Amino acid sequence: MPTHGRSVSALLQTPLHAVHESLAARLVPFAGFSMPLHYGSILAEHRAVRERAGLFDVSHMGQIHLEGPGACEALERLLCCPVASLRPGRVRYGMLCNEAGGVVDDVTLYRLDAERFFLCVNAANIEKDWRWIARHCGARQFPQVQLQDRSAATALLALQGPAAGEIIALLLPDALRTPLRRFQCAELRWRDAPLLLSRTGYTGADGFELYCPAQGGAALWQAILEAGAAHGVSPCGLGARDTLRLEAALPLYGNELDDETSPLEAGLGRFVKLAAGDFVGAEALRAQESRGAAKRLAGFELLSPGVARSGCAIIADPAQSGGAQRQLGVVTSGAPSPSLGKSIGLGYFPPELATHGSRFAVLVRGRPLAARVAATPFL
């Protein structure tokens, strides 16, 4: 999986860094942070999430809050997804777009009440997103909106897997008496400190994300492990998080999404309010919808032994092109699927090739490996 950000000597640490060291995690640079890749086996951690439960430290993610009169209007201007229709206690996936329709970042939007919102943003984009939001929704445009970056003050844990609900019920007995459905959130208290619980995640499994003050992150981590011990909960790192999100065909910023790629090209048009709205990038996206995207994201599976990694060239099927290695696109993510027992990936294709069953090849270390477009999510 990719690493991003600062040199090793300048890496930031999450509030749980000492916990990861005590568990002998393999720490790697990611998005400017020292993050656990795994604690033992990526395969075992992946299976824990699919079969029981896994606990991730994702405190490297950022939280940018917008509060006050006009916050909803400001976010309608910023985000390509609808905002006013989001009820308090709900969460919605969306994107910040630039004027050309490219994705500045993909985010989750939380509405806590009528005038309190926050965006959970990608770690590598915290500073970039802050500047973008301040540029378009600063004091000049929306004088009553208060912007605050609470990233460093917040710990974020993700408990994912089929046993996650039972573990949360043990940890927070009152939290789920009113069912918390997918993409809902609730403001709670835990050990006399604020806690936000949301039924969200990035693994394709059922699960929860828990936001708390940074100083309480380590204690919350330990409490979840203790509550989940009988359910086989396992600490999990970025390695399993990447294979899990790939099986669910969830995009990763910097791989499937970037400033040059639009939500329509990435197959995320359902999250774009194209018919109405004056968000940044709307005009460019409507024009792209009218003329048609030049590329399209699709999932694929290899039909030959091997692994197609990010950056590998997608080429025409040699059997149909007289052996010519004509590049058609590029792999954005790829890995062996622990759940499916085969190599899978995501990549950008010409629109006419991005259809289920289309045959092509992936150039891996100079060798063309047969592949075909597959339905997503893979699992």
Side-chain angles (χ1 to χ4, degrees), residues 129-210:
D129 290 355
W130 173 262
R131 291 193 301 269
W132 186 258
I133 293 168
R135 173 182 166 187
H136 292 280
C137 297
R140 187 177 64 180
Q141 301 97 327
F142 296 92
Q144 292 183 290
V145 176
Q146 300 172 9
L147 301 180
Q148 189 175 14
D149 179 2
R150 300 183 191 170
S151 306
T154 305
L156 173 56
L157 308 183
L159 178 65
Q160 303 284 291
E166 296 172 85
I167 296 169
I168 290 296
L170 291 171
L171 179 73
L172 302 163
D174 297 329
L176 302 182
R177 287 182 179 171
T178 300
L180 197 66
R181 297 183 175 85
R182 282 288 288 171
F183 284 85
Q184 288 186 329
C185 64
E187 293 185 276
L188 308 168
R189 303 285 297 180
W190 183 74
R191 295 187 181 177
D192 295 323
L195 173 71
L196 181 72
L197 178 70
S198 68
R199 198 152 202 165
T200 51
Y202 189 56
T203 62
D206 186 21
F208 299 82
E209 293 178 307
L210 301 93

Side-chain angles (χ1 to χ4, degrees), residues 170-361:
L170 291 171
L171 179 73
L172 302 163
D174 297 329
L176 302 182
R177 287 182 179 171
T178 300
L180 197 66
R181 297 183 175 85
R182 282 288 288 171
F183 284 85
Q184 288 186 329
C185 64
E187 293 185 276
L188 308 168
R189 303 285 297 180
W190 183 74
R191 295 187 181 177
D192 295 323
L195 173 71
L196 181 72
L197 178 70
S198 68
R199 198 152 202 165
T200 51
Y202 189 56
T203 62
D206 186 21
F208 299 82
E209 293 178 307
L210 301 93
Y211 298 81
C212 72
Q215 62 269 26
L220 182 59
W221 172 278
Q222 186 59 37
I224 294 172
L225 289 183
E226 291 173 1
H231 295 280
V233 66
S234 172
C236 297
L238 292 177
R241 184 170 162 89
D242 199 48
T243 54
L244 290 159
R245 70 95 190 169
L246 180 57
E247 288 183 344
L250 298 173
L252 176 64
Y253 195 89
N255 287 38
E256 285 71 45
L257 299 171
D258 56 39
D259 292 280
E260 308 300 322
T261 303
S262 80
L264 305 184
E265 293 169 327
L268 300 171
R270 63 192 182 279
F271 300 107
V272 181
K273 51 191 179 191
L274 273 178
D278 187 29
F279 62 94
V280 179
E283 185 176 344
L285 290 174
R286 291 187 188 109
Q288 186 178 92
E289 183 191 42
S290 177
R291 69 175 181 268
K295 61 181 180 180
R296 184 74 64 180
L297 185 69
F300 66 86
E301 59 185 12
L302 289 185
L303 304 176
S304 304
V307 180
R309 300 290 186 185
S310 174
C312 288
I314 292 169
I315 63 173
D317 185 345
Q320 300 177 7
S321 61
Q325 293 185 354
R326 179 168 57 91
Q327 183 166 351
L328 302 175
V330 64
V331 174
T332 55
S333 296
S337 164
S339 303
L340 302 174
K342 58 186 176 183
S343 287
I344 59 174
L346 298 170
Y348 279 99
F349 298 78
E352 65 274 11
L353 186 60
T355 56
H356 184 257
S358 293
R359 296 294 187 103
F360 60 97

Side-chain angles (χ1 to χ4, degrees), residues 53-69:
L55 180 62
F56 301 81
D57 173 21
V58 286
S59 303
H60 61 312
M61 302 290 283
Q63 294 81 39
I64 298 176
H65 290 246
L66 294 87
E67 300 180 358

